[in-house]
Amino acid sequence: QLVESGGGLVQAGDSLRLSCAASSDTFSRYAMGWFRQAPGKEREFVVGINWRGTLTYYAGSVKGRFTISRDNAKNTVSLQMNSLKPEDTAVYYCAAELYGTARLTGTYWGQGTQVTVSS
């Protein structure tokens, strides 16, 4: 089970930190990532980190602004989002994939958390 938290309403230029808690004793075996879905659009990949925690991969639209990190001791993955833009507004989903790469497609999903960036 994946549970996201940390979403909210912020202004453009602000920062926000999302967290995803996993209820699994084998968390360290999973690649983790974040996807998002804006109204009327398909779900898109945002960022991923491989199961070893050694590689990350970012979508071009967030590279340099977002940072993913994982804490295997706490079974959590976080997404630090800086310099937020109105186009970052979406429901953000945490995803997991067993022994996946940083470019995971996601096998397990959280319920999503809303991020709204006002201009």
Side-chain angles (χ1 to χ4, degrees):
Q1 183 180 9
L2 302 173
V3 180
E4 302 98 334
S5 61
L9 172 63
V10 297
Q11 293 186 334
D14 285 351
S15 297
L16 204 59
R17 187 176 181 87
L18 305 182
S19 293
C20 173
S23 56
S24 172
D25 292 336
T26 58
F27 175 79
S28 63
R29 302 178 188 178
Y30 286 82
M32 301 297 298
W34 292 91
F35 292 70
R36 67 186 182 186
Q37 187 168 19
K41 295 187 177 181
E42 294 187 353
R43 187 177 300 186
E44 65 174 0
F45 173 87
V46 176
V47 59
I49 184 167
N50 68 340
W51 70 276
R52 294 182 183 274
T54 56
L55 294 173
T56 58
Y57 185 78
Y58 292 85
S61 59
V62 306
K63 196 170 186 178
R65 300 188 298 122
F66 291 11
T67 302
I68 188 172
S69 59
R70 65 186 299 159
D71 186 337
N72 289 345
K74 297 182 178 179
N75 286 4
T76 59
V77 61
S78 298
L79 180 63
Q80 178 66 41
M81 304 185 294
N82 298 328
S83 302
L84 283 162
K85 304 175 181 180
E87 50 263 44
D88 294 318
T89 295
V91 177
Y92 283 71
Y93 297 90
C94 177
E97 188 173 298
L98 184 64
Y99 295 126
T101 70
R103 300 182 70 169
L104 73 162
T105 56
T107 305
Y108 303 99
W109 298 86
Q111 82 289 349
T113 185
Q114 177 71 47
V115 172
T116 303
V117 184
S118 63
S119 58

